[in-house]
Amino acid sequence: MRNVVLNLAVTLDGYIAGPNGEYDWCFTDADYGMTNFLKSVDATVMGGKSYRLMIHYGPPYPEFTNYVFSRTEKETPFKNVVFVPDNIPTFVKHLKQKSGKNIWLFGGSEIIHPLLQENLVDEMILSVHPILLGGGLPLFKKLAERKIFQLADTITYPTGLVQLIYKK
Amino acid sequence: MRNVVLNLAVTLDGYIAGPNGEYDWCFTDADYGMTNFLKSVDATVMGGKSYRLMIHYGPPYPEFTNYVFSRTEKETPFKNVVFVPDNIPTFVKHLKQKSGKNIWLFGGSEIIHPLLQENLVDEMILSVHPILLGGGLPLFKKLAERKIFQLADTITYPTGLVQLIYKK
């Protein structure tokens, strides 16, 4: 079965972007394991906001099928973008059963939240940046119950970025 | 000058206690560096809620002077508890100038927040537990501006607890 892997940058105070979507605080001086990670996935799942932010900067990852949960988006110039208006956890449950590489849970929190709630997030790679952003878009929302993870690895980089890798 | 050191347990989703103050999720199977840390401090600063929670379980650390920021608390059976009704950052600025060991910033977020805001937190030792609590008392509140820290060390324990140590 394919794993759903959350992989993103987060601040010490738990934000994935600033109040206006800023991510200028993210370190870009090194690869931070991204090249290897990209080889391990062939699909992304994301929300409409993340999709619009992504295509603002360029076409979506061409080698992946990009599933975008959106009730409003209907048309796209990109052949590898699929809009999914349906129940997010049900769709991801089916996607996990199909053959393929891992699935990159791209964000944002409105997509991460229902998948965490339904225990559908198999792995979390959190790149903790040494900054308090002070406000913005939080990674985690409130959950109905506690979720315990297993620490799989920690990687410390010279910039002070710490990657915390957890498995379900 | 004495350093103000924030040292506490935090969940992956940034809570220092559950909705009703629960901290049963904190690992207690090992020392996690606490014995050495306690040798490095001789004073604590905390809020009224943290004080009441602490004395509910027993007397405050006898070897420390415990400064409790509270406008309502006036009397205490403990000789080493000092109530401070005044402006928190001003008091801590003065305390830092006095001779002594480091000052343990004990919590909660209503005390941590103004000290972070005024750049008075010199070190943060965050014991990140591998759990999403789903709700509770958050460690960090909103700040007026970004605060950058330097990663000083990371310590990974067999239980999956990761200590992230930052300096100003």
Side-chain angles (χ1 to χ4, degrees):
Chain A
M1 195 152 73
R2 304 158 88 185
N3 283 335
V4 172
V5 185
L6 175 66
N7 183 350
L8 40 71
V10 63
T11 66
L12 266 180
D13 46 354
Y15 296 107
I16 52 176
N20 302 306
E22 303 93 326
Y23 55 90
D24 58 290
W25 48 271
C26 291
F27 293 146
T28 54
D29 61 301
D31 180 62
Y32 294 108
M34 208 56 189
T35 301
N36 273 336
F37 173 73
L38 291 176
K39 286 182 196 154
S40 73
V41 297
D42 65 3
T44 67
V45 293
M46 71 187 80
K49 265 188 248 171
S50 298
Y51 166 71
R52 286 187 292 277
L53 191 68
M54 184 178 67
I55 62 170
H56 178 74
Y57 290 95
Y61 293 98
E63 61 272 44
F64 302 155
T65 307
N66 301 280
Y67 298 97
V68 179
F69 293 96
S70 173
R71 290 196 187 89
T72 53
E73 304 273 356
K74 297 258 183 312
E75 288 185 17
T76 175
F78 308 110
K79 284 189 180 158
N80 62 336
V81 169
V82 180
F83 293 118
V84 184
D86 291 321
N87 183 290
I88 298 166
T90 306
F91 181 86
V92 171
K93 251 180 228 167
H94 286 298
L95 201 59
K96 276 167 66 81
Q97 305 292 340
K98 289 188 182 175
S99 63
K101 296 183 181 181
N102 285 342
I103 302 158
W104 183 8
L105 173 50
F106 193 80
S109 62
E110 77 280 9
I111 303 301
I112 297 166
H113 182 258
L115 296 177
L116 277 172
Q117 191 72 65
E118 298 294 325
N119 302 312
L120 288 166
V121 180
D122 300 291
E123 190 173 337
M124 299 196 292
I125 303 172
L126 305 177
S127 293
V128 182
H129 284 61
I131 185 173
L132 296 172
L133 204 55
L137 306 175
L139 168 53
F140 296 113
K141 294 186 172 189
K142 293 204 169 161
L143 293 166
E145 55 184 21
R146 298 179 178 189
K147 306 286 179 189
I148 291 171
F149 281 82
Q150 310 301 321
L151 182 74
D153 203 1
T154 64
I155 305 169
T156 303
Y157 292 91
T159 48
L161 184 151
V162 181
Q163 248 161 21
L164 302 176
I165 303 172
Y166 296 93
K167 294 196 171 167
K168 198 166 69 173
Chain B
M1 194 152 77
R2 305 157 89 185
N3 282 334
V4 172
V5 185
L6 175 67
N7 183 349
L8 40 71
V10 63
T11 66
L12 265 181
D13 46 355
Y15 296 107
I16 52 176
N20 302 303
E22 303 93 328
Y23 54 90
D24 58 290
W25 48 271
C26 292
F27 293 146
T28 54
D29 61 300
D31 180 61
Y32 294 108
M34 208 56 190
T35 302
N36 272 336
F37 173 74
L38 291 176
K39 286 180 195 156
S40 72
V41 297
D42 64 3
T44 67
V45 293
M46 71 186 82
K49 266 188 245 169
S50 298
Y51 166 70
R52 286 187 292 276
L53 192 69
M54 184 181 65
I55 62 169
H56 177 75
Y57 290 95
Y61 293 98
E63 62 271 43
F64 301 155
T65 307
N66 301 280
Y67 297 97
V68 179
F69 293 96
S70 174
R71 289 196 187 88
T72 52
E73 303 274 355
K74 296 257 182 316
E75 289 185 17
T76 174
F78 308 111
K79 285 188 178 160
N80 63 336
V81 168
V82 179
F83 293 117
V84 183
D86 290 321
N87 184 289
I88 298 166
T90 305
F91 181 86
V92 170
K93 251 180 228 167
H94 287 297
L95 202 58
K96 276 166 66 80
Q97 306 292 340
K98 289 189 181 174
S99 63
K101 296 183 181 181
N102 285 342
I103 301 158
W104 182 8
L105 173 50
F106 194 79
S109 61
E110 76 280 8
I111 303 301
I112 297 167
H113 181 259
L115 296 178
L116 278 171
Q117 191 71 65
E118 298 294 324
N119 302 313
L120 288 166
V121 180
D122 300 290
E123 189 174 336
M124 299 196 291
I125 303 171
L126 306 178
S127 294
V128 181
H129 284 63
I131 185 172
L132 296 172
L133 205 54
L137 306 175
L139 167 53
F140 295 113
K141 293 186 174 191
K142 293 203 168 161
L143 293 165
E145 54 184 22
R146 298 177 178 193
K147 305 287 180 189
I148 291 171
F149 282 82
Q150 309 301 321
L151 183 73
D153 203 2
T154 63
I155 305 169
T156 303
Y157 292 90
T159 47
L161 184 150
V162 181
Q163 249 161 21
L164 301 177
I165 302 171
Y166 296 93
K167 293 195 173 167
K168 197 167 70 174

